Amino acid sequence: MRIRKALFVLPNLFTVSSIFCGFYAIVQCAAGDARPDRYYQAAVAILFAIFFDAFDGRVARLTRTQSEFGTQLDSLADVISFGVAPALLLYKWALEPLG
């Protein structure tokens, strides 16, 4: 029975990792200095978020640990990692006025 409860954590760890990658990308983009290596790190973090997002649902289905909380957490991760972070990266890299 303890193993079953512990299995519920596994897909949520993937989802939280995706949120962390998105947050890291946002922090890198929002830094005061506009260094190109920060944008590169933000882009790599978004790619890692894609990896974690691809596997969180698969792990949940594989372990049969789908939950409403996991669904809502995944939606939050999608907004952060694939909405806010790429939009901020695009703005800071290409659209922000120089000066």
Side-chain angles (χ1 to χ4, degrees):
M1 187 64 179
R2 284 192 135 146
I3 296 274
R4 185 75 180 147
K5 286 184 179 181
L7 283 178
F8 275 93
V9 174
L10 191 59
N12 290 333
L13 285 177
F14 277 89
T15 306
V16 169
S17 298
S18 178
I19 290 172
F20 175 75
C21 289
F23 181 73
Y24 180 76
I26 291 168
V27 168
Q28 289 301 313
C29 290
D33 55 344
R35 295 190 336 236
D37 63 323
R38 288 193 182 271
Y39 300 143
Y40 176 77
Q41 290 174 358
V44 169
I46 292 170
L47 291 176
F48 274 104
I50 292 170
F51 168 78
F52 288 123
D53 187 62
F55 285 105
D56 65 352
R58 290 182 185 162
V59 170
R61 285 188 294 278
L62 183 67
T63 58
R64 294 188 181 128
T65 54
Q66 299 166 336
S67 66
E68 185 63 30
F69 174 76
T71 303
Q72 298 301 323
L73 189 64
D74 187 55
S75 296
L76 178 65
D78 291 344
V79 167
I80 293 170
S81 299
F82 309 122
V84 177
L88 186 60
L89 176 62
L90 180 66
Y91 175 75
K92 295 291 273 188
W93 175 68
L95 300 175
E96 185 175 49
L98 298 175

